[in-house]
Amino acid sequence: MTICYLALGSNLGDRVDLLKKAVQLLSEEEKINVLAQSNIYETEPYGDVPQDNYLNAVVKIETTLAPIELLDTTQKIELELGRERLIRWGPRTIDIDLILMDGVTYQDERLTIPHIEVAKRSFVLIPLKDVYEKTALFGKNIEQLISETGNQDEVWKSRESW
């Protein structure tokens, strides 16, 4: 079994319900075991597309799936929850990104592990810190990485919960 970390985000529809449904669908997958969920955070949108704020979280799982199989599974769940890929960094019902897979580096045209943007995104790093057992990532303390993003003030703990 491999430990993986998935970043979840939603800013269309019932955002909390969509996050909960995504976790439920992940847990129903035979080769996935959901181990932990971060707090839910509210986040200003990333990129230049005008849109509503996101709710973000990170889920820690263990799986026997290969990287591409896990990507296919998360994309199937996104489709099931109404995800449409219309605008890059645009609004979405649900987004599930594979950000880390312990001991795995991987790259092809569809997937890069670790996620190429993880160290730049406080909306991923802050919830990751809730469920990540190590104190360092990419050779740096997670708090230092969060500080270096320069956008940590755009993320705050939501009143919403699981």
Side-chain angles (χ1 to χ4, degrees):
M1 295 289 252
T2 303
I3 300 293
C4 303
Y5 298 87
L6 306 174
L8 281 60
S10 175
N11 78 334
L12 287 177
D14 186 336
R15 301 172 303 165
V16 174
D17 188 56
L18 286 160
L19 292 176
K20 289 178 181 180
K21 284 180 180 174
V23 173
Q24 179 62 38
L25 291 169
L26 285 164
S27 70
E28 291 173 4
E29 290 291 328
E30 184 179 326
K31 295 182 178 183
I32 294 175
N33 183 23
V34 175
L35 300 174
Q37 299 159 208
S38 72
N39 290 304
I40 296 174
Y41 293 86
E42 184 129 3
T43 307
E44 294 180 9
Y46 185 82
D48 295 327
V49 178
Q51 57 190 302
D52 293 335
N53 286 348
Y54 279 83
L55 289 184
N56 290 98
V58 169
V59 177
K60 178 181 178 181
I61 67 168
E62 62 181 358
T63 185
T64 56
L65 294 172
I68 288 297
E69 293 173 318
L70 183 55
L71 176 66
D72 289 342
T73 300
T74 60
Q75 289 182 343
K76 177 188 76 155
I77 291 169
E78 288 176 340
L79 286 173
E80 189 172 332
L81 296 176
R83 169 79 189 262
E84 294 179 314
R85 296 179 186 274
L86 302 174
I87 303 169
R88 183 179 171 126
W89 293 321
R92 57 201 72 178
T93 55
I94 194 73
D95 185 33
I96 306 172
D97 285 336
L98 173 49
I99 55 173
L100 296 171
M101 206 167 188
D102 277 358
V104 175
T105 55
Y106 182 89
Q107 184 169 2
D108 71 9
E109 65 280 350
R110 290 183 59 209
L111 179 64
T112 300
I113 303 172
H115 191 290
I116 198 162
E117 297 283 322
V118 68
K120 297 177 184 176
R121 296 179 173 176
S122 57
F123 67 86
V124 173
L125 291 169
I126 291 171
L128 176 64
K129 190 177 123 188
D130 290 350
V131 295
Y132 192 65
E133 294 175 0
K134 302 171 187 171
T135 57
L137 180 64
F138 309 128
K140 293 184 178 182
N141 180 288
I142 291 182
E143 289 290 341
Q144 180 183 355
L145 286 172
I146 291 168
S147 176
E148 289 174 1
T149 66
N151 56 20
Q152 65 272 23
D153 294 337
E154 298 169 7
V155 180
W156 57 95
K157 192 172 176 184
S158 175
R159 286 182 269 166
E160 305 289 350
S161 65
W162 299 103

